Amino acid sequence: MSAPNPFLTRLDRGPALLADGAMGTSLNARGIGFDRCLDALNLTEPALIAEIHRGYIEAGAELVLTNTFGANRFRMARYGLAEQVGAVNRAGVELARRAILASFKDVLLAGDVGPLGVRMVPFGRVRPEQARSAFRQQISALSAAGVDLLFLETFSDLFEIREALRAAHEVCSLPIVACMSFTRDDRTLLGNSPAEVAGALLEAGADVIGVNCSQGPAQLLRILEKMSAAAPQAVLAVKPNAGLPEQIEGRFMYPAAPNYFAEYALAFREAGARLIGGCCGTTCDHVAAMRTALDTQAGSPPASLPAQVADSRPDRLADPDEPTGLAKKLAAGKFVTAVEMSPPHGLGTQKIVAGASLLADAGADVINITDSPMARLRMAPWAVCKLVQERVGIETTLHFPTRGRNLLRVQSDLLAAHALNVRNIFVVMGDPTAIGDYPEAMDDYDLVPSGLIRLIKQGFNLGLDYGGSEIGEPTTFFVGCALNPGAANAEREYQVFRRKIDAGADFALTQPIFEAHKAAGFLERYDRAAASSRVPIIAGILPLYSLRHALFLNNEVPGIEIPEAVLTRLEEAGENAPREGLRIAGELIERARSWAQGIYLMPPFGKYDLAAELIEGMQTS
């Protein structure tokens, strides 16, 4: 019969267990920059790590976390240390254990495991089995080195922490604390509520569930209470940041004082937390204050919660009086990359922000936000454009259909978009409402696309509305139009395209192309007739995901024709069809470089990882 685990025994005995504070903050205060691999200091600066552990133990911490938060193969590969994962984790355990033994105190040791630092599909490139393998490697090393428990913390992706839990159960039988972090709206980065997180973590086999990092004690008290209400049987943990940081002379300073943390430690205990500690910005002083409060006072929640602090992300977008970033890049002859994203069906915006962040990191130049594609209900695209620009810092292009808008609505929506600094506009007709969620909805329009382009370029951009009245000051919209160079009726498509160019279109986005030579032939005719008014053409690229996907597009989507040779390649690829679809897309991109000034990626089924892979492949080719 195995001996009872000391951590679970201590939790059963009560009262609330106090954990340590932030390792990174303590290192930064000692002059260690966050650009270094902090986990590798277990090997290169062992005395410094041991000193920090001793400080937290002397302050009253009953549980110490190893300095291994980022000691996984993905994070350490950034520093060329992927082969040191085992050594760094073992050293982290040994250093903390020595500090505990030297203290002669009954202190528990947790193996700290953070997220991999790379996104999982569909918002990243790492697949579940790859993530689980990396977690197994780290957790195996921690378990073999002799930790009392595992502490999974600061996860923002529920799918990722599930893989970490699966990996832990595969390699050891240690108790597991599983904590996630939340955004300002009390949801995870991908939109999960505290109740959803609580249920999922318990179902995945965590012994203790909770929340850490995020904004600060006030927010985490709210989230803790929601998790407790959703899962009253759960054992709860909480480790807040010391508020939102400010960078001063290279150091990150956090506003929450130790006495403030002491007050909230009591509130956390009152709310049911059995494990309390500190995350970013917390120091030995914070731990000592919480120790004193928990030892001497009865708990009650603070009387009021502090106001939320606004997002401090720097604005990397073009000034409203300057040309847009897209306009500048095209004018400079840069080969640009745009990626299409659709707004959410409901209120949750976390997934689209996460996807846009992945694409921006991969090197996309602009994100195109569609407007109710297939006439299905979705959030207004200009709101999503604004959100993506603010949260991610990447420029957007607003799809602007004429269908379903009268002349008054068209103009008011344009004013709203410009006021939000959404100035790249892609003018389209829009999908008929008969095919969508509300077939009986009004389907009228006052302007065709060429008319709307003329209104913008020859009216709004000159400071005038449709009736010639002044709108206060000119707008600075950069306007795109649609083009189908593979249209069955090439003559009609050419004439329509000419009207859009004459109206003032600045650039064109094509329908998905699957035969680059057809598009090149169409544009050769255009060039011969209008060489002096050539606008940049951005080629539409839609990676095919399977034979079934290709057959659907070929047979049910107007304007798309997929060659038999492409269908045959997908059929022969079988279960590897997604990879073959990427290869086909990559080939089309290379062929389009001779006549296009960019590509417009349309990721199938929201698989933004595929788009990111194509973008990164373009940069290395």
Side-chain angles (χ1 to χ4, degrees):
M1 183 176 179
S2 61
N5 182 276
F7 171 67
L8 296 179
T9 301
R10 172 63 181 81
L11 285 183
D12 288 339
R13 186 175 75 237
L17 180 68
L18 181 63
D20 59 10
M23 174 63 72
T25 297
S26 298
L27 288 169
N28 189 240
R30 290 164 170 80
I32 303 296
F34 285 114
D35 57 337
R36 294 181 62 181
C37 180
L38 302 187
D39 309 279
L41 298 176
N42 294 339
L43 300 177
T44 60
E45 301 281 351
L48 180 59
I49 302 301
E51 175 193 337
I52 293 170
H53 286 317
R54 286 195 298 270
Y56 281 123
I57 293 170
E58 292 170 2
E62 302 167 87
L63 184 147
V64 170
L65 276 65
T66 56
N67 178 41
T68 56
F69 174 82
N72 64 71
R73 70 175 68 143
F74 288 100
R75 286 185 184 270
M76 296 194 68
R78 300 172 186 170
Y79 304 95
L81 300 173
E83 301 302 318
Q84 296 292 311
V85 168
V88 167
N89 281 280
R90 289 190 295 271
V93 175
E94 183 178 354
L95 288 171
R97 182 65 73 189
R98 285 181 183 174
I100 292 171
L101 292 174
S103 73
F104 297 102
K105 294 183 179 181
D106 184 16
V107 176
L108 296 163
L109 178 56
D112 194 20
V113 178
L116 298 175
V118 289
R119 294 192 189 278
M120 288 177 57
V121 294
F123 302 105
R125 302 276 296 282
V126 176
R127 305 199 172 275
E129 58 272 18
Q130 295 173 309
R132 201 179 320 153
S133 174
F135 285 126
R136 274 199 303 265
Q137 181 185 25
Q138 181 183 10
I139 292 170
S140 294
L142 292 170
S143 174
V147 296
D148 299 312
L149 67 145
L150 297 172
F151 207 117
L152 314 182
E153 63 171 340
T154 325
F155 284 77
S156 60
D157 184 341
L158 195 53
F159 293 103
E160 184 181 13
I161 200 170
R162 280 173 174 157
E163 293 304 326
L165 284 161
R166 290 189 183 106
H169 289 308
E170 288 173 2
V171 301
C172 69
S173 57
L174 291 170
I176 306 171
V177 179
C179 291
M180 295 197 70
S181 63
F182 291 74
T183 59
R184 290 185 301 167
D185 58 359
D186 291 359
R187 288 181 174 267
T188 67
L189 183 63
L190 297 184
N192 300 110
S193 68
E196 291 171 328
V197 167
L201 294 180
L202 287 177
E203 184 179 357
D207 297 280
V208 179
I209 66 171
V211 55
N212 79 293
C213 204
S214 309
Q215 281 201 278
Q219 182 197 28
L220 266 59
L221 179 59
R222 288 197 311 272
I223 293 172
L224 190 73
E225 290 169 340
K226 292 175 182 178
M227 295 180 80
S228 179
Q233 77 280 22
V235 180
L236 299 173
V238 59
K239 289 181 60 189
N241 283 352
L244 291 174
E246 179 183 7
Q247 190 171 7
I248 300 175
E249 296 182 352
R251 303 286 176 83
F252 286 93
M253 309 300 291
Y254 290 78
N259 61 344
Y260 182 78
F261 254 68
E263 184 180 9
Y264 266 98
L266 301 176
F268 293 142
R269 184 174 66 182
E270 186 76 10
R274 302 278 290 281
L275 195 163
I276 301 169
C279 202
C280 304
T282 57
T283 65
C284 292
D285 291 339
H286 292 84
V287 172
M290 289 191 287
R291 177 77 281 158
T292 300
L294 291 170
D295 287 346
T296 61
Q297 300 181 48
S300 59
S304 62
L305 299 179
Q308 298 296 314
V309 181
D311 191 353
S312 58
R313 176 182 293 275
D315 186 3
R316 306 200 304 266
L317 305 176
D319 186 282
D321 295 328
E322 295 289 329
T324 69
L326 178 61
K328 291 178 180 178
K329 289 173 181 177
L330 290 174
K334 184 181 187 304
F335 192 84
V336 302
T337 302
V339 185
E340 179 177 286
M341 301 185 77
S342 293
H345 290 286
L347 292 173
T349 58
Q350 292 84 355
K351 291 184 179 180
I352 197 167
V353 170
S357 179
L358 165 70
L359 295 166
D361 290 343
D365 295 294
V366 64
I367 301 295
N368 284 43
I369 304 297
T370 62
D371 188 324
S372 300
M374 303 300 290
R376 291 176 178 163
L377 175 64
R378 290 182 182 267
M379 184 180 289
W382 54 87
V384 179
C385 286
K386 175 67 171 176
L387 188 70
V388 167
Q389 291 186 166
E390 284 189 341
R391 297 279 184 88
V392 182
I394 186 171
E395 197 168 79
T396 61
T397 295
L398 170 68
H399 285 215
F400 201 102
T402 62
R403 193 187 299 273
R405 285 182 166 107
N406 62 26
L407 193 55
L408 182 64
R409 169 79 184 281
V410 163
Q411 296 181 96
S412 63
D413 287 352
L414 286 171
L415 291 174
H418 201 275
L420 296 175
N421 199 20
V422 178
R423 297 184 293 125
N424 297 315
I425 299 287
F426 175 51
V427 173
V428 291
M429 177 62 78
D431 294 315
T433 58
I435 68 172
D437 293 334
Y438 302 96
E440 72 283 358
M442 186 271 290
D443 201 33
D444 298 335
Y445 51 89
D446 287 341
L447 295 171
V448 296
S450 58
L452 177 52
I453 293 169
R454 182 172 287 103
L455 169 62
I456 298 171
K457 295 292 293 185
Q458 301 178 30
F460 271 51
N461 277 11
L462 298 178
L464 303 173
D465 68 7
Y466 185 82
S469 299
E470 294 186 359
I471 58 173
E473 58 186 77
T475 58
T476 54
F477 285 118
F478 188 62
V479 184
C481 66
L483 169 64
N484 183 8
N489 188 339
E491 180 60 30
R492 181 182 182 280
E493 182 68 20
Y494 176 78
Q495 296 302 328
V496 170
F497 185 47
R498 285 298 314 155
R499 285 199 293 271
K500 295 173 183 176
I501 301 303
D502 292 343
D506 297 298
F507 66 98
L509 299 178
T510 80
Q511 283 266 37
I513 60 168
F514 295 98
E515 294 180 284
H517 68 277
K518 284 189 176 181
F522 179 94
L523 292 170
E524 283 177 8
R525 176 186 175 184
Y526 163 61
D527 284 340
R528 287 195 300 270
S532 62
S533 59
R534 177 71 143 93
V535 299
I537 307 295
I538 302 176
I541 303 291
L542 196 166
L544 298 169
Y545 195 71
S546 65
L547 177 61
R548 182 178 180 180
H549 177 219
L551 289 172
F552 168 79
L553 293 173
N554 199 42
N555 291 281
E556 299 192 35
V557 179
I560 293 182
E561 183 177 345
I562 301 176
E564 191 65 33
V566 171
L567 298 175
T568 300
R569 287 178 63 176
L570 292 171
E571 183 176 19
E572 292 176 348
E575 64 181 17
N576 292 320
R579 306 306 306 173
E580 187 64 23
L582 278 184
R583 279 190 286 272
I584 293 168
E587 294 165 7
L588 288 168
I589 291 170
E590 289 307 309
R591 292 170 188 160
R593 286 182 181 273
S594 64
W595 52 266
Q597 201 178 321
I599 60 165
Y600 172 41
L601 291 173
M602 307 169 204
F605 315 117
K607 294 186 178 297
Y608 304 121
D609 56 307
L610 299 181
E613 187 170 342
L614 280 171
I615 295 169
E616 291 175 352
M618 291 167 53
Q619 295 168 346
T620 57
S621 62

